[in-house]
Amino acid sequence: MSRDGDAPASTFTLEIDIQADPQTVFAFVADFATTPLWYSAVQRVERIDGGRIDGGQIGEERIGAERAGARYSVHRRLPVGPVVNTVEVVGFEDGREVTFASADGPTPFRYRYLVSPEGRGTRLRLDAGISAAGLPGPARLLGPLAGRLFAHGMRENLGTLKRLIEAG
C-alpha cells in the first residue's frame, strides 16, 4: 500500500448489516459512481473508461456494478484540501465482491467490499487499506493516526450507505 518508506499503510475491516437483498446491496456498492451519495469525502466521480452491468434503481438513482478494469477520476475533499485520484476496479465477482484501488494521487487506498446473505438481509464487509503517502508536509507522517481517523469516517459512511439502501 505504501508508495514510499515513511508513510505506512493502515488496514482495517468493517461490517454492517443492511435490510435489503444482496443483489441490491452489491449493485449499489459496486457502482463507484454512487459514492458521492454516501461517502462524505467524495465530491464527484467521473468515468474514464470500462464496462458496467445494469443493476436497476434505488429511489431516483440508477445503479449498476462495475466490471474489472473500469477506471474513474475521483474528486475528494480531505482536511488538507481537494485531491484527485484515479480509481480502478481491480477485483470483481458479480454479486459477491468488488475491489477498488487508487492508481495515483495522494492517500493510496484499496477497498474490498464483500456481500453475503445474512438472515433476511445482507452483510456488507469492507476490507480497507490506506496510506498517508502523497499528503503535504507533516500530514504524510500521520500514517497510523490517519488510518484510525479513516476507519471512523468509513464507519459513518457505511451507516449513510445503509440508510440510503434501506430507504429504497
Side-chain angles (χ1 to χ4, degrees):
M1 178 69 53
S2 180
R3 290 190 186 153
D4 56 38
D6 60 355
S10 295
T11 61
F12 61 89
T13 296
L14 298 172
E15 291 185 341
I16 191 166
D17 290 339
I18 300 173
Q19 294 304 307
D21 64 89
Q23 296 82 6
T24 299
V25 174
F26 182 79
F28 201 84
V29 76
D31 183 349
F32 204 80
T34 68
T35 57
L37 300 173
W38 59 271
Y39 191 128
S40 62
V42 176
Q43 306 296 300
R44 185 172 84 246
V45 173
E46 299 164 351
R47 177 185 301 278
I48 297 171
D49 56 30
R52 182 175 161 121
I53 302 168
D54 185 35
Q57 192 161 332
I58 291 185
E60 299 295 314
E61 187 67 27
R62 193 90 194 139
I63 58 175
E66 307 300 340
R67 294 191 186 273
R71 293 184 315 136
Y72 300 87
S73 177
V74 181
H75 301 257
R76 299 182 297 151
R77 177 156 304 282
L78 301 180
V80 298
V83 299
V84 178
N85 290 89
T86 301
V87 174
E88 182 174 354
V89 178
V90 296
F92 182 85
E93 183 182 333
D94 194 15
R96 176 167 153 51
E97 179 261 328
V98 63
T99 304
F100 301 102
S102 59
D104 59 26
T107 65
F109 60 86
R110 183 179 190 92
Y111 309 142
R112 180 175 181 237
Y113 295 98
L114 295 161
V115 172
S116 60
E118 180 64 31
R120 293 185 176 174
T122 301
R123 174 152 300 150
L124 176 63
R125 175 183 167 142
L126 168 62
D127 295 324
I130 189 166
S131 168
L135 293 178
R140 66 192 309 259
L141 302 175
L142 295 177
L145 174 61
R148 285 192 297 277
L149 293 172
F150 178 71
H152 175 76
M154 282 306 292
R155 189 172 290 108
E156 291 179 359
N157 291 333
L158 291 180
T160 301
L161 174 69
K162 172 185 170 78
R163 288 187 295 280
L164 278 172
I165 292 173
E166 289 180 348

